[in-house]
Amino acid sequence: SVALTRLFLKTDQIRPHQRGEMLLYDESFRTVSFAEAPENAPCFFQLQYLAHRDSVLDGVHVEQYRRELGRELARLLREKSVDTRGFLVVPIPETSLPIAESLAQSLGTQSVELLRKVDSVRVYITPQDHRSLTLNLKYGRVPAHIRGRDIILVDDSIVRGDTAGALIHHLREYYEPRKIFFVS
């Protein structure tokens, strides 16, 4: 949907495509079936991680979906009686930003961006022994005085967990928080 709206199509001209179908957006807006697909098997990572936050996938607005995840995280923290008073919510950019914002709002606290992602660096494709260095290059740190504060670090997903552990280490060294809770 994002690519099509950038081509000046109106949202009422865009519809979800079906399995095995290609939508040709020319003057006739035609549909071509090219394969049989017996069942719908959407990829979890599309909504959670891969899709642009302005996208609509299968009728679901990606950013609204991610905001709902933040509200769900808040519900789970309350259900587990986790005392989050005074905590700052910190997103791991980019896709966890709306999750962190709605989590902070639901908890009645503040969401603070301490990390900025550098788009040209990919950590998951680097060798294990270079990952720490690459992580330093991938995330710029925003100057902030949070020494002694408590942090809830929000990630959109955990694939290996290597990146999260290294980020927690870097946050501890650079910002000197009192506690870090990691949620995903």
Side-chain angles (χ1 to χ4, degrees), residues 68-129:
E68 184 56 38
L69 291 176
R71 288 186 284 277
E72 178 65 12
L73 280 172
R75 187 192 66 74
L76 290 170
L77 289 170
R78 282 193 291 273
E79 183 181 283
K80 303 231 180 255
S81 301
V82 176
D83 183 7
T84 58
R85 288 177 295 185
F87 274 75
L88 297 174
V89 176
V90 176
I92 297 176
E94 298 271 319
T95 52
S96 66
L97 292 170
I99 300 169
E101 289 169 359
S102 66
L103 172 62
Q105 184 178 33
S106 297
L107 295 176
T109 190
Q110 186 179 9
S111 178
V112 179
E113 284 186 65
L114 296 180
L115 302 166
R116 294 273 164 80
K117 187 175 173 184
V118 178
D119 289 330
S120 61
V121 180
R122 298 286 179 253
V123 174
Y124 60 88
I125 57 174
T126 58
Q128 184 70 31
D129 55 339

Side-chain angles (χ1 to χ4, degrees), residues 19-21 32 35 154 170:
R19 298 178 305 276
E21 176 181 78
V32 176
V154 181
H170 289 294

Side-chain angles (χ1 to χ4, degrees), residues 93 113-118 135-143 174-175:
E113 284 186 65
L114 296 180
L115 302 166
R116 294 273 164 80
K117 187 175 173 184
V118 178
L135 201 63
N136 266 341
L137 298 173
K138 180 177 180 174
Y139 293 105
R141 290 175 216 57
V142 177
Y174 191 79
Y175 293 109

Side-chain angles (χ1 to χ4, degrees), residues 120-175:
S120 61
V121 180
R122 298 286 179 253
V123 174
Y124 60 88
I125 57 174
T126 58
Q128 184 70 31
D129 55 339
H130 296 316
R131 198 159 291 141
S132 182
L133 172 63
T134 308
L135 201 63
N136 266 341
L137 298 173
K138 180 177 180 174
Y139 293 105
R141 290 175 216 57
V142 177
H145 301 288
I146 63 161
R147 185 177 188 192
R149 297 287 305 268
D150 298 327
I151 293 176
I152 298 174
L153 185 61
V154 181
D155 201 356
D156 55 14
S157 59
I158 303 173
V159 177
R160 279 189 308 256
D162 299 353
T163 303
L167 271 177
I168 289 169
H169 175 76
H170 289 294
L171 286 172
R172 283 193 194 285
E173 284 190 357
Y174 191 79
Y175 293 109

